[in-house]
Short mmCIF file of all heavy atoms in Angstrom, two decimals:
data_model
loop_
_atom_site.label_atom_id
_atom_site.label_comp_id
_atom_site.label_asym_id
_atom_site.label_seq_id
_atom_site.Cartn_x
_atom_site.Cartn_y
_atom_site.Cartn_z
N MET Z 1 -51.76 232.70 -21.86
CA MET Z 1 -53.04 233.28 -21.55
C MET Z 1 -53.02 233.85 -20.13
O MET Z 1 -53.48 234.96 -19.90
CB MET Z 1 -54.13 232.22 -21.68
CG MET Z 1 -55.50 232.74 -21.29
SD MET Z 1 -56.81 231.55 -21.54
CE MET Z 1 -56.77 230.67 -20.02
N TYR Z 2 -52.49 233.07 -19.18
CA TYR Z 2 -52.49 233.55 -17.80
C TYR Z 2 -51.56 234.75 -17.63
O TYR Z 2 -51.86 235.65 -16.84
CB TYR Z 2 -52.09 232.42 -16.85
CG TYR Z 2 -53.05 231.26 -16.90
CD1 TYR Z 2 -52.62 230.02 -17.37
CD2 TYR Z 2 -54.36 231.41 -16.52
CE1 TYR Z 2 -53.49 228.96 -17.44
CE2 TYR Z 2 -55.25 230.35 -16.59
CZ TYR Z 2 -54.81 229.13 -17.04
OH TYR Z 2 -55.67 228.08 -17.11
N GLY Z 3 -50.47 234.74 -18.36
CA GLY Z 3 -49.58 235.90 -18.31
C GLY Z 3 -50.25 237.14 -18.86
O GLY Z 3 -50.06 238.25 -18.33
N TRP Z 4 -51.02 236.99 -19.92
CA TRP Z 4 -51.73 238.13 -20.50
C TRP Z 4 -52.73 238.69 -19.49
O TRP Z 4 -52.84 239.90 -19.32
CB TRP Z 4 -52.45 237.70 -21.77
CG TRP Z 4 -53.18 238.82 -22.44
CD1 TRP Z 4 -52.66 239.69 -23.35
CD2 TRP Z 4 -54.54 239.20 -22.25
NE1 TRP Z 4 -53.63 240.59 -23.74
CE2 TRP Z 4 -54.79 240.31 -23.07
CE3 TRP Z 4 -55.57 238.72 -21.46
CZ2 TRP Z 4 -56.03 240.93 -23.12
CZ3 TRP Z 4 -56.80 239.34 -21.50
CH2 TRP Z 4 -57.02 240.44 -22.33
N ILE Z 5 -53.48 237.79 -18.82
CA ILE Z 5 -54.44 238.24 -17.80
C ILE Z 5 -53.70 238.94 -16.67
O ILE Z 5 -54.13 240.01 -16.21
CB ILE Z 5 -55.26 237.05 -17.28
CG1 ILE Z 5 -56.14 236.50 -18.38
CG2 ILE Z 5 -56.11 237.46 -16.08
CD1 ILE Z 5 -56.82 235.19 -18.03
N TRP Z 6 -52.60 238.35 -16.20
CA TRP Z 6 -51.85 238.93 -15.09
C TRP Z 6 -51.33 240.32 -15.43
O TRP Z 6 -51.38 241.23 -14.62
CB TRP Z 6 -50.70 238.00 -14.71
CG TRP Z 6 -49.95 238.44 -13.51
CD1 TRP Z 6 -48.75 239.08 -13.49
CD2 TRP Z 6 -50.33 238.26 -12.15
NE1 TRP Z 6 -48.36 239.31 -12.20
CE2 TRP Z 6 -49.31 238.83 -11.36
CE3 TRP Z 6 -51.43 237.69 -11.53
CZ2 TRP Z 6 -49.37 238.83 -9.97
CZ3 TRP Z 6 -51.49 237.69 -10.15
CH2 TRP Z 6 -50.47 238.26 -9.39
N ARG Z 7 -50.84 240.49 -16.65
CA ARG Z 7 -50.30 241.80 -17.05
C ARG Z 7 -51.39 242.85 -17.18
O ARG Z 7 -51.12 244.04 -17.00
CB ARG Z 7 -49.56 241.68 -18.39
CG ARG Z 7 -48.21 241.01 -18.27
CD ARG Z 7 -47.43 241.13 -19.56
NE ARG Z 7 -48.14 240.59 -20.72
CZ ARG Z 7 -48.07 239.32 -21.11
NH1 ARG Z 7 -47.34 238.47 -20.42
NH2 ARG Z 7 -48.74 238.92 -22.17
N HIS Z 8 -52.62 242.46 -17.46
CA HIS Z 8 -53.68 243.43 -17.65
C HIS Z 8 -54.49 243.72 -16.39
O HIS Z 8 -55.38 244.57 -16.42
CB HIS Z 8 -54.61 242.97 -18.78
CG HIS Z 8 -53.98 243.13 -20.13
ND1 HIS Z 8 -53.11 242.20 -20.65
CD2 HIS Z 8 -54.07 244.12 -21.04
CE1 HIS Z 8 -52.70 242.61 -21.83
NE2 HIS Z 8 -53.26 243.77 -22.09
N LEU Z 9 -54.19 243.03 -15.30
CA LEU Z 9 -54.87 243.34 -14.04
C LEU Z 9 -54.25 244.58 -13.43
O LEU Z 9 -53.04 244.77 -13.48
CB LEU Z 9 -54.74 242.16 -13.06
CG LEU Z 9 -55.52 240.90 -13.41
CD1 LEU Z 9 -55.18 239.79 -12.41
CD2 LEU Z 9 -57.00 241.17 -13.42
N PRO Z 10 -55.08 245.43 -12.80
CA PRO Z 10 -54.54 246.65 -12.19
C PRO Z 10 -53.92 246.35 -10.81
O PRO Z 10 -54.21 245.35 -10.19
CB PRO Z 10 -55.78 247.54 -12.04
CG PRO Z 10 -56.90 246.58 -11.86
CD PRO Z 10 -56.54 245.39 -12.73
N GLY Z 11 -53.06 247.25 -10.37
CA GLY Z 11 -52.52 247.19 -9.02
C GLY Z 11 -51.20 246.47 -8.92
O GLY Z 11 -50.62 246.01 -9.89
N ASN Z 12 -50.75 246.35 -7.65
CA ASN Z 12 -49.49 245.65 -7.40
C ASN Z 12 -49.74 244.15 -7.29
O ASN Z 12 -50.82 243.66 -7.58
CB ASN Z 12 -48.82 246.21 -6.13
CG ASN Z 12 -49.73 246.07 -4.93
OD1 ASN Z 12 -50.72 245.38 -4.97
ND2 ASN Z 12 -49.36 246.75 -3.86
N THR Z 13 -48.74 243.41 -6.86
CA THR Z 13 -48.83 241.95 -6.84
C THR Z 13 -49.93 241.46 -5.91
O THR Z 13 -50.67 240.53 -6.24
CB THR Z 13 -47.47 241.34 -6.43
OG1 THR Z 13 -46.48 241.82 -7.33
CG2 THR Z 13 -47.51 239.83 -6.48
N ALA Z 14 -50.07 242.06 -4.74
CA ALA Z 14 -51.09 241.63 -3.79
C ALA Z 14 -52.50 241.87 -4.34
O ALA Z 14 -53.38 241.01 -4.23
CB ALA Z 14 -50.92 242.35 -2.46
N VAL Z 15 -52.71 243.02 -4.94
CA VAL Z 15 -54.02 243.33 -5.52
C VAL Z 15 -54.31 242.40 -6.69
O VAL Z 15 -55.43 241.90 -6.83
CB VAL Z 15 -54.07 244.82 -5.95
CG1 VAL Z 15 -55.35 245.12 -6.70
CG2 VAL Z 15 -53.92 245.73 -4.75
N ARG Z 16 -53.31 242.15 -7.51
CA ARG Z 16 -53.50 241.24 -8.64
C ARG Z 16 -53.82 239.83 -8.16
O ARG Z 16 -54.64 239.15 -8.76
CB ARG Z 16 -52.24 241.19 -9.49
CG ARG Z 16 -52.01 242.43 -10.31
CD ARG Z 16 -50.74 242.30 -11.10
NE ARG Z 16 -50.53 243.48 -11.93
CZ ARG Z 16 -49.52 243.63 -12.75
NH1 ARG Z 16 -48.61 242.69 -12.85
NH2 ARG Z 16 -49.41 244.73 -13.47
N ALA Z 17 -53.19 239.39 -7.07
CA ALA Z 17 -53.47 238.07 -6.54
C ALA Z 17 -54.91 237.97 -6.04
O ALA Z 17 -55.59 236.97 -6.29
CB ALA Z 17 -52.49 237.74 -5.41
N VAL Z 18 -55.38 238.99 -5.35
CA VAL Z 18 -56.76 238.99 -4.86
C VAL Z 18 -57.74 239.00 -6.02
O VAL Z 18 -58.73 238.25 -6.02
CB VAL Z 18 -56.99 240.19 -3.91
CG1 VAL Z 18 -58.46 240.35 -3.59
CG2 VAL Z 18 -56.18 240.03 -2.65
N ILE Z 19 -57.48 239.81 -7.03
CA ILE Z 19 -58.37 239.88 -8.19
C ILE Z 19 -58.36 238.55 -8.94
O ILE Z 19 -59.41 238.06 -9.38
CB ILE Z 19 -57.97 241.05 -9.11
CG1 ILE Z 19 -58.22 242.38 -8.42
CG2 ILE Z 19 -58.74 240.99 -10.42
CD1 ILE Z 19 -57.69 243.58 -9.17
N SER Z 20 -57.19 237.94 -9.09
CA SER Z 20 -57.13 236.67 -9.81
C SER Z 20 -57.84 235.57 -9.03
O SER Z 20 -58.50 234.72 -9.64
CB SER Z 20 -55.69 236.29 -10.11
OG SER Z 20 -54.97 236.07 -8.91
N LEU Z 21 -57.75 235.56 -7.71
CA LEU Z 21 -58.51 234.59 -6.90
C LEU Z 21 -60.01 234.81 -7.05
O LEU Z 21 -60.78 233.85 -7.11
CB LEU Z 21 -58.09 234.67 -5.44
CG LEU Z 21 -56.72 234.10 -5.11
CD1 LEU Z 21 -56.38 234.35 -3.65
CD2 LEU Z 21 -56.67 232.62 -5.43
N ALA Z 22 -60.42 236.07 -7.10
CA ALA Z 22 -61.84 236.36 -7.30
C ALA Z 22 -62.29 235.90 -8.68
O ALA Z 22 -63.40 235.36 -8.83
CB ALA Z 22 -62.09 237.86 -7.13
N LEU Z 23 -61.45 236.08 -9.69
CA LEU Z 23 -61.80 235.61 -11.04
C LEU Z 23 -61.93 234.09 -11.08
O LEU Z 23 -62.85 233.55 -11.70
CB LEU Z 23 -60.75 236.07 -12.05
CG LEU Z 23 -60.76 237.54 -12.43
CD1 LEU Z 23 -59.55 237.87 -13.29
CD2 LEU Z 23 -62.04 237.89 -13.14
N VAL Z 24 -61.02 233.40 -10.39
CA VAL Z 24 -61.11 231.94 -10.33
C VAL Z 24 -62.38 231.51 -9.63
O VAL Z 24 -63.07 230.58 -10.06
CB VAL Z 24 -59.86 231.35 -9.64
CG1 VAL Z 24 -60.04 229.89 -9.31
CG2 VAL Z 24 -58.63 231.56 -10.50
N ALA Z 25 -62.74 232.19 -8.54
CA ALA Z 25 -63.97 231.86 -7.81
C ALA Z 25 -65.20 232.07 -8.68
O ALA Z 25 -66.13 231.26 -8.66
CB ALA Z 25 -64.07 232.71 -6.54
N VAL Z 26 -65.21 233.13 -9.48
CA VAL Z 26 -66.35 233.40 -10.37
C VAL Z 26 -66.44 232.31 -11.44
O VAL Z 26 -67.53 231.82 -11.75
CB VAL Z 26 -66.22 234.80 -11.00
CG1 VAL Z 26 -67.18 234.98 -12.15
CG2 VAL Z 26 -66.45 235.87 -9.95
N VAL Z 27 -65.32 231.91 -11.99
CA VAL Z 27 -65.32 230.86 -13.01
C VAL Z 27 -65.82 229.54 -12.43
O VAL Z 27 -66.65 228.86 -13.04
CB VAL Z 27 -63.92 230.71 -13.64
CG1 VAL Z 27 -63.82 229.45 -14.48
CG2 VAL Z 27 -63.58 231.93 -14.46
N VAL Z 28 -65.36 229.19 -11.23
CA VAL Z 28 -65.81 227.95 -10.59
C VAL Z 28 -67.31 228.02 -10.31
O VAL Z 28 -68.04 227.05 -10.53
CB VAL Z 28 -64.99 227.68 -9.32
CG1 VAL Z 28 -65.61 226.57 -8.48
CG2 VAL Z 28 -63.56 227.34 -9.67
N PHE Z 29 -67.78 229.16 -9.81
CA PHE Z 29 -69.21 229.33 -9.55
C PHE Z 29 -70.03 229.15 -10.82
O PHE Z 29 -71.04 228.44 -10.82
CB PHE Z 29 -69.47 230.71 -8.95
CG PHE Z 29 -70.92 231.02 -8.78
CD1 PHE Z 29 -71.63 230.49 -7.73
CD2 PHE Z 29 -71.58 231.84 -9.69
CE1 PHE Z 29 -72.98 230.77 -7.57
CE2 PHE Z 29 -72.92 232.12 -9.55
CZ PHE Z 29 -73.63 231.58 -8.48
N LEU Z 30 -69.60 229.77 -11.91
CA LEU Z 30 -70.33 229.65 -13.17
C LEU Z 30 -70.33 228.23 -13.70
O LEU Z 30 -71.33 227.76 -14.24
CB LEU Z 30 -69.75 230.61 -14.21
CG LEU Z 30 -69.98 232.09 -13.94
CD1 LEU Z 30 -69.23 232.95 -14.96
CD2 LEU Z 30 -71.46 232.42 -13.94
N LEU Z 31 -69.21 227.53 -13.53
CA LEU Z 31 -69.16 226.14 -13.95
C LEU Z 31 -70.16 225.29 -13.17
O LEU Z 31 -70.90 224.50 -13.75
CB LEU Z 31 -67.75 225.58 -13.78
CG LEU Z 31 -66.71 226.00 -14.81
CD1 LEU Z 31 -65.33 225.54 -14.39
CD2 LEU Z 31 -67.06 225.46 -16.18
N PHE Z 32 -70.18 225.44 -11.85
CA PHE Z 32 -71.07 224.62 -11.03
C PHE Z 32 -72.54 225.00 -11.20
O PHE Z 32 -73.41 224.15 -11.05
CB PHE Z 32 -70.69 224.72 -9.55
CG PHE Z 32 -69.61 223.75 -9.16
CD1 PHE Z 32 -68.31 224.16 -9.06
CD2 PHE Z 32 -69.91 222.43 -8.91
CE1 PHE Z 32 -67.30 223.29 -8.71
CE2 PHE Z 32 -68.92 221.53 -8.57
CZ PHE Z 32 -67.61 221.95 -8.46
N GLN Z 33 -72.83 226.24 -11.50
CA GLN Z 33 -74.22 226.68 -11.62
C GLN Z 33 -74.82 226.44 -13.00
O GLN Z 33 -76.01 226.19 -13.11
CB GLN Z 33 -74.33 228.17 -11.28
CG GLN Z 33 -74.10 228.47 -9.82
CD GLN Z 33 -75.12 227.80 -8.94
OE1 GLN Z 33 -76.32 227.83 -9.19
NE2 GLN Z 33 -74.65 227.18 -7.87
N PHE Z 34 -74.01 226.53 -14.05
CA PHE Z 34 -74.56 226.50 -15.39
C PHE Z 34 -74.00 225.39 -16.27
O PHE Z 34 -74.74 224.67 -16.92
CB PHE Z 34 -74.36 227.85 -16.08
CG PHE Z 34 -75.03 228.99 -15.35
CD1 PHE Z 34 -74.29 229.90 -14.63
CD2 PHE Z 34 -76.40 229.11 -15.37
CE1 PHE Z 34 -74.90 230.93 -13.95
CE2 PHE Z 34 -77.03 230.15 -14.70
CZ PHE Z 34 -76.28 231.06 -13.98
N VAL Z 35 -72.69 225.25 -16.32
CA VAL Z 35 -72.07 224.32 -17.27
C VAL Z 35 -72.25 222.88 -16.83
O VAL Z 35 -72.69 222.03 -17.62
CB VAL Z 35 -70.58 224.66 -17.48
CG1 VAL Z 35 -69.92 223.65 -18.40
CG2 VAL Z 35 -70.44 226.07 -18.03
N PHE Z 36 -71.92 222.55 -15.58
CA PHE Z 36 -72.02 221.16 -15.13
C PHE Z 36 -73.46 220.65 -15.12
O PHE Z 36 -73.69 219.52 -15.55
CB PHE Z 36 -71.37 220.99 -13.77
CG PHE Z 36 -69.88 221.22 -13.76
CD1 PHE Z 36 -69.24 221.61 -12.61
CD2 PHE Z 36 -69.11 221.03 -14.90
CE1 PHE Z 36 -67.87 221.81 -12.59
CE2 PHE Z 36 -67.74 221.24 -14.90
CZ PHE Z 36 -67.12 221.63 -13.73
N PRO Z 37 -74.45 221.42 -14.65
CA PRO Z 37 -75.83 220.91 -14.74
C PRO Z 37 -76.30 220.71 -16.18
O PRO Z 37 -77.06 219.79 -16.47
CB PRO Z 37 -76.67 221.98 -14.04
CG PRO Z 37 -75.73 222.63 -13.10
CD PRO Z 37 -74.40 222.61 -13.80
N TRP Z 38 -75.84 221.55 -17.09
CA TRP Z 38 -76.21 221.38 -18.50
C TRP Z 38 -75.58 220.12 -19.07
O TRP Z 38 -76.21 219.39 -19.85
CB TRP Z 38 -75.76 222.61 -19.29
CG TRP Z 38 -75.84 222.41 -20.76
CD1 TRP Z 38 -76.94 222.50 -21.55
CD2 TRP Z 38 -74.75 222.02 -21.63
NE1 TRP Z 38 -76.60 222.20 -22.85
CE2 TRP Z 38 -75.28 221.91 -22.92
CE3 TRP Z 38 -73.41 221.77 -21.41
CZ2 TRP Z 38 -74.48 221.56 -24.01
CZ3 TRP Z 38 -72.63 221.42 -22.48
CH2 TRP Z 38 -73.17 221.32 -23.77
N ALA Z 39 -74.32 219.84 -18.72
CA ALA Z 39 -73.59 218.72 -19.31
C ALA Z 39 -73.89 217.40 -18.62
O ALA Z 39 -73.61 216.34 -19.20
CB ALA Z 39 -72.09 219.00 -19.25
N GLU Z 40 -74.43 217.41 -17.42
CA GLU Z 40 -74.63 216.17 -16.66
C GLU Z 40 -75.49 215.14 -17.38
O GLU Z 40 -75.14 213.96 -17.38
CB GLU Z 40 -75.22 216.51 -15.29
CG GLU Z 40 -75.23 215.35 -14.32
CD GLU Z 40 -76.53 214.59 -14.37
OE1 GLU Z 40 -77.56 215.18 -14.73
OE2 GLU Z 40 -76.49 213.39 -14.06
N PRO Z 41 -76.60 215.49 -18.01
CA PRO Z 41 -77.37 214.47 -18.73
C PRO Z 41 -76.63 213.88 -19.93
O PRO Z 41 -76.96 212.78 -20.38
CB PRO Z 41 -78.63 215.21 -19.21
CG PRO Z 41 -78.72 216.43 -18.39
CD PRO Z 41 -77.32 216.77 -18.00
N LEU Z 42 -75.64 214.56 -20.44
CA LEU Z 42 -74.90 214.09 -21.60
C LEU Z 42 -73.79 213.10 -21.23
O LEU Z 42 -73.24 212.44 -22.10
CB LEU Z 42 -74.28 215.28 -22.34
CG LEU Z 42 -75.27 216.37 -22.78
CD1 LEU Z 42 -74.51 217.55 -23.35
CD2 LEU Z 42 -76.27 215.83 -23.77
N LEU Z 43 -73.47 213.00 -19.94
CA LEU Z 43 -72.37 212.15 -19.50
C LEU Z 43 -72.88 210.76 -19.12
O LEU Z 43 -73.98 210.63 -18.58
CB LEU Z 43 -71.65 212.79 -18.31
CG LEU Z 43 -71.06 214.16 -18.61
CD1 LEU Z 43 -70.49 214.77 -17.34
CD2 LEU Z 43 -69.98 214.05 -19.65
N PRO Z 44 -72.10 209.72 -19.36
CA PRO Z 44 -72.57 208.35 -19.14
C PRO Z 44 -72.35 207.81 -17.73
O PRO Z 44 -72.19 206.61 -17.55
CB PRO Z 44 -71.74 207.56 -20.16
CG PRO Z 44 -70.45 208.29 -20.18
CD PRO Z 44 -70.82 209.76 -20.05
N PHE Z 45 -72.34 208.65 -16.70
CA PHE Z 45 -72.02 208.18 -15.35
C PHE Z 45 -73.12 207.32 -14.75
O PHE Z 45 -72.88 206.56 -13.82
CB PHE Z 45 -71.71 209.34 -14.42
CG PHE Z 45 -70.48 210.12 -14.82
CD1 PHE Z 45 -70.49 211.49 -14.85
CD2 PHE Z 45 -69.33 209.46 -15.19
CE1 PHE Z 45 -69.36 212.20 -15.22
CE2 PHE Z 45 -68.19 210.16 -15.56
CZ PHE Z 45 -68.21 211.53 -15.57
N ASN Z 46 -74.34 207.39 -15.24
CA ASN Z 46 -75.43 206.60 -14.69
C ASN Z 46 -75.63 205.29 -15.45
O ASN Z 46 -76.51 204.50 -15.12
CB ASN Z 46 -76.74 207.40 -14.71
CG ASN Z 46 -76.71 208.53 -13.71
OD1 ASN Z 46 -76.05 208.43 -12.68
ND2 ASN Z 46 -77.44 209.59 -14.00
N ASP Z 47 -74.82 205.02 -16.45
CA ASP Z 47 -74.91 203.78 -17.21
C ASP Z 47 -74.08 202.70 -16.51
O ASP Z 47 -72.94 202.42 -16.86
CB ASP Z 47 -74.41 203.98 -18.64
CG ASP Z 47 -75.28 204.95 -19.40
OD1 ASP Z 47 -76.42 205.16 -18.98
OD2 ASP Z 47 -74.79 205.48 -20.41
N VAL Z 48 -74.69 202.08 -15.49
CA VAL Z 48 -73.97 201.10 -14.67
C VAL Z 48 -74.18 199.72 -15.28
O VAL Z 48 -75.30 199.33 -15.63
CB VAL Z 48 -74.49 201.13 -13.23
CG1 VAL Z 48 -73.78 200.09 -12.38
CG2 VAL Z 48 -74.32 202.52 -12.64
N THR Z 49 -73.10 198.94 -15.39
CA THR Z 49 -73.20 197.60 -15.98
C THR Z 49 -72.88 196.51 -14.98
O THR Z 49 -72.65 195.37 -15.35
CB THR Z 49 -72.24 197.49 -17.18
OG1 THR Z 49 -70.91 197.75 -16.73
CG2 THR Z 49 -72.63 198.46 -18.28
N VAL Z 50 -72.86 196.82 -13.69
CA VAL Z 50 -72.56 195.84 -12.66
C VAL Z 50 -73.87 195.16 -12.26
O VAL Z 50 -74.85 195.81 -11.96
CB VAL Z 50 -71.91 196.51 -11.44
CG1 VAL Z 50 -71.64 195.50 -10.34
CG2 VAL Z 50 -70.64 197.22 -11.85
N ASP Z 51 -73.86 193.82 -12.24
CA ASP Z 51 -75.08 193.12 -11.81
C ASP Z 51 -75.12 193.04 -10.29
O ASP Z 51 -74.15 193.31 -9.61
CB ASP Z 51 -75.17 191.72 -12.43
CG ASP Z 51 -74.00 190.84 -12.03
OD1 ASP Z 51 -73.09 191.33 -11.34
OD2 ASP Z 51 -74.01 189.66 -12.43
N GLY Z 52 -76.26 192.64 -9.75
CA GLY Z 52 -76.45 192.61 -8.31
C GLY Z 52 -76.14 191.27 -7.68
O GLY Z 52 -76.75 190.89 -6.69
N GLY Z 53 -75.21 190.50 -8.21
CA GLY Z 53 -74.93 189.16 -7.74
C GLY Z 53 -74.27 189.11 -6.37
O GLY Z 53 -74.47 188.18 -5.61
N GLY Z 54 -73.49 190.09 -5.99
CA GLY Z 54 -72.81 190.07 -4.72
C GLY Z 54 -71.50 189.33 -4.78
O GLY Z 54 -71.09 188.80 -5.82
N ALA Z 55 -70.83 189.19 -3.63
CA ALA Z 55 -69.51 188.59 -3.59
C ALA Z 55 -69.56 187.08 -3.65
O ALA Z 55 -68.61 186.43 -4.08
CB ALA Z 55 -68.78 189.03 -2.31
N GLY Z 56 -70.66 186.45 -3.23
CA GLY Z 56 -70.72 185.00 -3.17
C GLY Z 56 -71.17 184.33 -4.43
O GLY Z 56 -71.20 183.11 -4.52
N SER Z 57 -71.51 185.06 -5.47
CA SER Z 57 -72.03 184.39 -6.66
C SER Z 57 -71.03 184.13 -7.72
O SER Z 57 -69.97 184.23 -7.84
CB SER Z 57 -73.16 185.17 -7.30
OG SER Z 57 -72.96 186.52 -7.32
#
């Protein structure tokens, strides 16, 4: 997949590198703005099973 994207980007190696970094930045931005907030309520990270006894109990 990455090879296919690399071959279809315009320009020489430096231009392709800049474009690919921009594409990665856009994907990360979209994940943090839309995908992760949507999926956060579905994940069990707030289901804590540790009691409040402390170290001495």
Side-chain angles (χ1 to χ4, degrees):
M1 177 176 87
Y2 299 115
W4 181 87
I5 294 171
W6 185 259
R7 285 190 304 271
H8 286 83
L9 290 175
N12 58 13
T13 304
V15 173
R16 287 179 178 182
V18 170
I19 293 172
S20 64
L21 287 175
L23 286 173
V24 168
V26 167
V27 168
V28 168
F29 174 78
L30 291 174
L31 284 172
F32 275 100
Q33 291 298 314
F34 300 106
V35 177
F36 295 154
W38 168 81
E40 191 267 334
L42 304 174
L43 300 175
F45 296 134
N46 290 331
D47 296 340
V48 179
T49 59
V50 178
D51 61 356
S57 40

